[in-house]
Amino acid sequence: MATTLQSNTVTLQGSAAIVAEFFEFSVNSILYQRGVYPPENFCRVQKYGLTMLVTDDERLKDYLQGVANQLKELLRKKMIRQLVLVIADVETKETLERWEFKVHVDEEMTEESAPKTKELKTIQQEIAAIIRQIVASVTFLPQLEGQLAFDLLVYTKKDGEVNEELWADSKPMLIEGGQMVKIKSFSTSVHSVDAAVVYR
């Protein structure tokens, strides 16, 4: 995890790396918990003091790694407003769930700024609390049936340039009249992320 030498200081670049890595693990966790891919496509790893499940499907792994690298760059440039993971029914194209991660950033912070102070351990504990809530979500979310697909939507500031091989213009895939459950938030002291899930 890229931070400065001391474990209680966070730079803009270090914060971007922490948040991008959080997204990567969160997406893996949601895809597993919601049954978008079969359980045998996942393996166990230790992260944030938890046993996490991540895909061992090479194509999906490469795609998510590419997304995380692009997100890291956009976060460093303070371009991201929100990241959304959409789960849809393959046949009907109907959006079943929207996992929304709103990103706030200290606009004053630059790469030349003095690092902010926050213990890495505290950040990881806050992230672990969100991951636990994602895992627990299966207790209240409706069971998903049929063949499922997912999309990642990134909302950038208007002048944001993104990698067009990874991202294309898309509809927002909203759920009209959906139920929303807020999930915990975390902060690196440079970026903060508020999470929620909207479902039918």
Side-chain angles (χ1 to χ4, degrees):
M1 197 171 277
T3 56
T4 49
L5 290 174
Q6 300 167 356
S7 67
N8 65 340
T9 60
V10 185
T11 60
L12 177 60
Q13 189 171 353
S15 176
I18 291 168
V19 176
E21 186 178 64
F22 158 75
F23 282 144
E24 193 177 355
F25 278 101
S26 295
V27 168
N28 268 288
S29 194
I30 294 164
L31 295 179
Y32 174 81
Q33 295 298 335
R34 305 309 290 140
V36 179
Y37 288 86
E40 58 270 20
N41 283 21
F42 292 81
C43 60
R44 294 175 188 278
V45 298
Q46 292 297 314
K47 190 72 189 172
Y48 310 124
L50 303 172
T51 300
M52 305 276 297
L53 285 141
V54 297
T55 184
D56 58 9
D57 178 295
E58 287 303 327
R59 281 180 59 199
L60 181 57
K61 200 156 56 172
D62 288 348
Y63 169 71
L64 293 178
Q65 187 63 62
V67 167
N69 290 338
Q70 173 85 4
L71 290 175
K72 196 187 305 181
E73 197 55 28
L74 291 171
L75 287 158
R76 190 177 62 78
K77 293 176 178 172
K78 301 185 281 193
M79 302 308 278
I80 292 190
R81 291 188 294 117
Q82 185 174 213
L83 184 86
V84 178
L85 187 159
V86 173
I87 299 176
D89 183 293
V90 169
E91 284 185 22
T92 65
K93 310 288 189 226
E94 184 180 43
T95 300
L96 304 173
E97 288 176 8
R98 273 174 60 96
W99 293 79
E100 302 174 350
F101 299 92
K102 287 191 175 146
V103 179
H104 312 277
V105 64
D106 178 349
E107 294 293 350
E108 306 290 307
M109 191 76 175
T110 68
E111 306 223 3
E112 289 73 42
S113 298
K116 297 261 192 170
T117 305
K118 184 160 184 177
E119 285 285 348
L120 196 54
K121 188 176 175 188
T122 305
I123 298 169
Q124 290 181 330
Q125 285 169 342
E126 290 175 12
I127 290 173
I130 296 177
I131 301 290
R132 281 197 198 93
Q133 265 195 300
I134 290 171
V135 171
S137 67
V138 293
T139 59
F140 65 82
L141 289 172
Q143 193 168 346
L144 298 177
E145 305 286 350
Q147 204 177 345
L148 305 171
F150 82 97
D151 261 308
L152 288 174
L153 311 179
V154 63
Y155 292 74
T156 60
K157 293 179 181 171
K158 284 205 166 105
D159 52 351
E161 285 182 24
V162 297
N163 181 340
E164 289 178 8
E165 287 177 22
L166 275 176
W167 308 101
D169 285 340
S170 165
K171 293 177 181 170
M173 304 181 190
L174 299 172
I175 299 175
E176 295 299 329
Q179 301 286 318
M180 175 186 272
V181 174
K182 291 201 169 181
I183 296 172
K184 291 178 188 289
S185 56
F186 84 92
S187 165
T188 66
S189 73
V190 178
H191 292 92
S192 62
V193 177
D194 298 323
V197 57
V198 182
Y199 61 96
R200 285 194 180 282

